[in-house]
Amino acid sequence: MAANNSQPTGIDKEQAFGMAETEMEYRVELFNRLAQTCFNKCVDKRYKEAELNMGENSCIDRCVSKYWQF
């Protein structure tokens, strides 16, 4: 009887783990760049309030949307 293996042939557990780790690092880096880029573009350097104002909120929303489209 053939062994039931959920991994594609030719990829062992260590390779799969390494690929998943690399993918996670890429996603974290992408998120950090997105957050930094949109923050620098949209948030006033002189904090006046603890919460984002309407203009900053709209700018961040558009920035994130464009970033994901790109």
Side-chain angles (χ1 to χ4, degrees):
M1 214 185 238
N4 186 5
N5 191 353
S6 62
Q7 296 174 348
T9 56
I11 297 178
D12 63 14
K13 282 185 178 183
E14 287 182 31
Q15 288 175 319
F17 181 76
M19 290 168 53
E21 190 173 36
T22 301
E23 178 71 17
M24 183 57 111
E25 289 170 357
Y26 167 76
R27 289 178 184 267
V28 168
E29 182 182 334
L30 179 67
F31 175 81
N32 287 338
R33 278 187 285 149
L34 176 142
Q36 191 65 45
T37 298
C38 293
F39 180 86
N40 289 340
K41 180 179 179 180
C42 298
V43 178
D44 190 8
K45 304 301 180 241
R46 295 165 288 148
Y47 300 114
K48 300 173 190 166
E49 303 170 7
E51 301 292 324
L52 294 173
N53 64 40
M54 184 67 81
E56 292 168 334
N57 210 0
S58 296
C59 180
I60 289 174
D61 188 44
R62 285 190 310 272
C63 180
V64 170
S65 177
K66 288 179 182 180
Y67 201 94
W68 284 123
Q69 287 177 359
F70 177 70

